[in-house]
Amino acid sequence: MKFTLYSRSYCHLCQDMLDALLALQTPERPFTVDVIDVDADPALVARFDELVPVLFAALDEPELCHYFLDEGKVRAVLTSPA
């Protein structure tokens, strides 16, 4: 399982979401998180700008959440069959 977190380096909400997400990881439910700095790409700034942090489980599906971690949605993804 891999999550993608669109973030900013100076964003405390982004760090809070990453910390909350990582707290859900267990040996039985391992996952990775790609943290992408939106400020590194003008197209990402145009798309996400003030929405960060934005979390995706799959980039071809709608976002799971933004601003704050939706623990229920993340747990549902983690427990769904692959």
Side-chain angles (χ1 to χ4, degrees):
M1 162 71 15
K2 180 173 97 170
F3 292 97
T4 302
L5 177 63
Y6 290 95
S7 179
R8 285 195 157 100
S9 60
Y10 58 86
C11 170
H12 73 90
L13 289 178
C14 299
Q15 187 61 51
D16 291 348
M17 184 179 285
L18 179 60
D19 293 344
L21 178 61
L22 292 174
L24 298 178
Q25 186 164 258
T26 65
E28 298 79 29
R29 291 188 308 219
F31 57 81
T32 60
V33 183
D34 286 340
V35 179
I36 299 175
D37 186 347
V38 298
D39 292 322
D41 183 341
L44 293 177
V45 172
R47 181 174 176 191
F48 296 114
D49 197 22
E50 297 300 317
L51 283 179
V52 297
V54 182
L55 182 66
F56 287 85
L59 295 178
D60 61 343
E61 295 180 11
E63 70 183 53
L64 288 176
C65 51
H66 63 268
Y67 300 139
F68 302 98
L69 186 75
D70 186 328
E71 188 174 327
K73 284 185 180 179
V74 172
R75 287 187 185 280
V77 167
L78 290 171
T79 58
S80 68

